[in-house]
């Protein structure tokens, strides 16, 4: 609410020689300011990440793809809502023991690691970590790919699960 004060003076209303029949008035008008509230939208996965579709044991997942050094480091940090995505695919330059941590990651996740041939190496459930002292979640063997999905998403993943990357969303299927 804003209070606006207006003072009105009649001609000849100075202190010297003022006409006694002239009066000075002051009025106050109250004006309501419009009220606005802003609800921040949940932080989603950056549009800078490429998107693709993968299949794990024949089940399709639409994922963001992290493959550059910066993208691999960023991952799902700061993301509050995956939106239309099912998760994120990480593509490493070489097959080796890979590890992730949950520093600044706001949602609990499951991670599945796959070797260069697309066979499942291991699965871990990861919890958020508000501290700087966060645990690492490492693959049980050499991995070339990993996929993060919401917590519980890989709870029933069979030990012989296989990853297939569907190239550029065109459905062509790319065996790895």
């Amino acid at each position: 609410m804003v209070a606006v004060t207006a003072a009105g003076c009649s001609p000849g209303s100075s202190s010297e020689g003022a006409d006694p029949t002239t009066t000075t008035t002051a009025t106050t008008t109250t004006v309501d300011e419009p009220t606005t509230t802003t609800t921040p939208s949940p932080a989603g996965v950056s549009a800078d990440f490429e998107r693709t579709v993968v299949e794990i044991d024949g089940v399709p997942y639409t994922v963001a793809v992290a493959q550059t050094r910066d993208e691999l480091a960023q991952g799902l940090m700061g993301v509050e809502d995956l939106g239309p995505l099912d998760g994120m695919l990480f593509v490493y330059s070489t097959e080796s023991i890979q590890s992730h941590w949950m520093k600044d990651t706001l949602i609990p996740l499951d991670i599945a690691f796959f070797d260069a041939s697309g066979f499942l190496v291991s699965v871990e459930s990861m919890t958020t970590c508000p501290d700087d002292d966060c645990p690492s979640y490492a693959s049980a063997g050499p991995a070339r790919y990993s996929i993060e999905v919401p917590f519980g998403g890989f709870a029933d993943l069979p030990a012989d699960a296989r990853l297939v990357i569907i190239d550029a969303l065109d459905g062509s299927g790319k065996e790895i």
Side-chain angles (χ1 to χ4, degrees):
M1 183 181 301
V2 175
V4 178
T5 303
C9 295
S10 297
S13 62
S14 67
S15 56
E16 274 186 48
D19 182 350
T21 60
T22 306
T23 59
T24 301
T25 60
T27 58
T28 301
T29 307
T30 302
V31 179
D32 287 332
E33 289 183 11
T35 313
T36 58
T37 57
T38 305
T39 304
S41 60
V45 178
S46 170
D48 294 339
F49 287 99
E50 182 182 329
R51 276 35 176 183
T52 195
V53 174
V54 299
E55 285 183 358
I56 301 174
D57 246 23
V59 177
Y61 294 82
T62 301
V63 295
V65 180
Q67 54 190 349
T68 68
R69 184 182 186 112
D70 288 343
E71 291 171 344
L72 292 168
Q74 176 63 38
L76 293 175
M77 287 194 309
V79 173
E80 295 174 331
D81 181 6
L82 291 173
L85 297 175
D86 298 309
M88 180 171 277
L89 169 69
F90 295 80
V91 180
Y92 310 105
S93 59
T94 60
E95 183 177 55
S96 62
I97 301 294
Q98 305 296 341
S99 69
H100 287 233
W101 70 333
M102 295 288 284
K103 176 72 176 132
D104 296 329
T105 304
L106 307 174
I107 53 177
L109 300 166
D110 278 0
I111 187 167
F113 295 96
F114 297 88
D115 67 17
S117 297
F119 290 102
L120 181 64
V121 172
S122 60
V123 176
E124 294 280 342
S125 290
M126 306 184 297
T127 58
T128 60
C129 180
D131 309 325
D132 285 335
D133 187 24
C134 300
S136 288
Y137 301 90
S139 59
R144 176 78 197 280
Y145 308 95
S146 65
I147 297 181
E148 291 179 344
V149 299
F151 188 83
F154 289 146
D156 297 323
L157 198 61
D160 64 347
R162 183 113 196 280
L163 170 69
V164 176
I165 297 175
I166 308 298
D167 200 14
L169 297 175
D170 65 3
S172 62
K174 176 183 162 190
E175 291 285 325
I176 44 176

